[in-house]
């Protein structure tokens, strides 16, 4: 369950994080722009920026600051610590070959899912928010209720944990198909739990459907979830309801067995 730990946080650290998130949102920013947006003194912002830049977390070009590659270094470290990282990578590449669709692997991170691995068929490309780019990108966060992997994970969680996540993040609408009512979401989560996989029926992106399934770890708990995504005109009928779920289940079963073997060997 998500806990409220705000009374134990450090204000200075929070300010640094606010500054980093502001720079990420704006792509880059000056001292004045950050100070105005966060209602901080320019001198305060400058001290944070100098500190972060000196440690490699920011780059400075003239008067503008942007995020540094130090974050990539840390992110790669976190991803490589994922249980069975290489086995998961092989599994999603296999799924891409067998389905000829986009495949990604996400994990839950503080009430949202984040893409940590992805595999694309060479000709699979989708638009997102009007931009010609792939839907899933490593490091991208998604609200759990609007994606197949997110809903698959929520379906495996106890009710109180799901409620805590929804209390924090709500049920924002991405499209006209997005579930925005708790009662409807919980009804769907029950169906997902019964059949073993989740479907995102254009709930995150218009014209895109996904099938998602959780991957369980050898020591219990959920490692993450895998989804297969494709345009709605291709993922429909028997392909959506039977073909993709069957292939996905086979790959997940093999992956879970390999993770168990890896765990047993390491022990």
């Amino acid at each position: 369950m998500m806990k409220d730990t705000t009374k134990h946080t450090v204000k200075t650290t929070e300010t640094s994080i606010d500054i980093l998130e502001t720079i990420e949102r704006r792509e880059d920013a000056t001292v004045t722009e950050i100070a105005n947006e966060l209602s901080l003194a320019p001198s305060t912002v400058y001290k944070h920026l100098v500190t972060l830049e000196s440690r490699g977390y920011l780059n400075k070009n003239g008067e503008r600051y942007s995020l540094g590659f130090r974050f990539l270094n840390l992110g790669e470290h976190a991803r490589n610590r994922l249980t069975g990282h290489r086995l998961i990578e092989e599994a999603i590449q296999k799924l891409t070959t067998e389905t000829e669709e986009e495949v990604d692997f996400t994990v839950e991170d503080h009430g949202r899912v984040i893409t940590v691995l992805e595999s694309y068929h060479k000709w699979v490309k989708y638009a997102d928010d009007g931009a010609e780019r792939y839907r899933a990108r490593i490091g991208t966060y998604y609200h759990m209720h609007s994606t197949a992997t997110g809903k698959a994970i929520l379906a495996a969680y106890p009710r109180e944990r799901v409620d805590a996540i929804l209390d924090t993040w709500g049920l924002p609408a991405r499209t006209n198909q997005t579930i925005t009512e708790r009662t409807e979401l919980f009804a769907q989560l029950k169906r997902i739990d019964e059949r073993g996989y989740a479907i995102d029926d254009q709930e995150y992106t218009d014209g895109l459907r996904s099938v998602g399934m959780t991957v369980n770890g050898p020591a219990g708990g959920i490692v993450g979830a895998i989804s297969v995504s494709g345009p709605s005109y291709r993922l429909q009928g028997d392909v959506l309801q039977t073909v993709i779920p069957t292939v996905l289940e086979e790959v997940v079963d093999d992956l879970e067995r390999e993770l168990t073997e890896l765990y047993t060997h390491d022990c």
Side-chain angles (χ1 to χ4, degrees):
M1 181 177 293
M2 300 177 71
K3 298 180 180 178
D4 182 6
T5 58
T6 53
K7 65 180 180 180
H8 301 295
T9 60
V10 179
K11 183 61 177 176
T12 303
T13 305
E14 287 185 335
T15 299
S16 287
I17 294 172
D18 288 341
I19 289 172
L20 290 171
E21 291 180 345
T22 298
I23 293 172
E24 178 197 18
R25 186 169 57 254
R26 298 177 64 101
E27 300 293 343
D28 59 20
T30 65
V31 172
T32 301
E33 289 170 345
I34 296 169
N36 290 339
E37 183 163 332
L38 298 178
S39 298
L40 295 171
S43 59
T44 299
V45 172
Y46 179 74
K47 290 177 182 178
H48 283 271
L49 292 173
V50 169
T51 302
L52 291 165
E53 195 269 338
S54 70
R55 299 297 296 269
Y57 292 97
L58 291 176
N59 292 324
K60 188 173 185 289
N61 184 15
E63 299 301 317
R64 307 194 71 82
Y65 291 84
S66 59
L67 298 185
F69 288 108
R70 177 65 173 154
F71 288 104
L72 178 62
N73 176 266
L74 295 179
E76 274 296 298
H77 177 78
R79 188 170 67 164
N80 288 334
R81 285 178 55 82
L82 180 68
T83 301
H85 169 262
R86 295 303 175 193
L87 293 175
I88 296 169
E89 191 170 42
E90 292 171 3
I92 66 173
Q93 290 173 348
K94 180 180 179 181
L95 265 174
T96 298
T97 300
E98 294 188 8
T99 64
E100 297 186 340
E101 300 291 358
E102 171 187 333
V103 178
D104 68 333
F105 182 85
T106 70
V107 298
E108 190 242 316
D109 185 42
H110 294 81
R112 294 182 295 174
V113 285
I114 182 172
T115 298
V116 294
L117 290 164
E118 91 273 290
S119 180
Y120 304 110
H121 194 268
K122 61 183 179 181
W123 48 262
V124 176
K125 216 167 191 179
Y126 306 107
D128 183 11
D129 293 334
E132 290 298 325
R133 64 188 185 196
Y134 292 116
R135 180 191 69 86
R137 294 185 302 164
I138 290 176
T140 299
Y141 279 101
Y142 305 95
H143 289 92
M144 299 182 74
H145 72 290
S146 59
T147 65
T149 54
K151 289 192 292 183
I153 293 173
L154 287 176
Y157 282 170
R159 174 68 182 251
E160 59 270 20
R161 185 168 181 179
V162 178
D163 276 327
I165 289 172
L166 299 183
D167 288 344
T168 300
W169 296 104
L171 292 163
R174 281 280 310 188
T175 71
N176 291 333
Q177 298 291 103
T178 308
I179 296 173
T180 57
E181 298 293 334
R182 289 200 188 202
T183 54
E184 183 182 354
L185 177 63
F186 278 108
Q188 188 171 126
L189 295 182
K190 182 179 179 181
R191 292 195 296 272
I192 291 168
D193 185 50
E194 291 170 349
R195 71 188 179 195
Y197 64 90
I199 291 177
D200 161 13
D201 188 3
Q202 305 182 74
E203 296 161 54
Y204 181 80
T205 300
D206 287 321
L208 184 72
R209 290 192 175 113
S210 304
V211 180
M213 188 175 294
T214 57
V215 175
N216 296 311
I222 298 171
V223 177
I226 299 177
S227 72
V228 178
S229 303
S232 56
Y233 68 83
R234 248 193 341 257
L235 266 63
Q236 60 178 315
D238 190 53
V239 173
L240 179 67
Q241 300 291 340
T242 304
V243 176
I244 295 297
T246 298
V247 175
L248 180 56
E249 183 178 17
E250 290 173 354
V251 171
V252 168
D253 285 346
D254 288 344
L255 174 58
E256 289 179 342
R257 186 180 65 255
E258 291 172 345
L259 290 174
T260 298
E261 293 173 352
L262 176 66
Y263 178 80
T264 302
H265 179 268
D266 289 344
C267 290

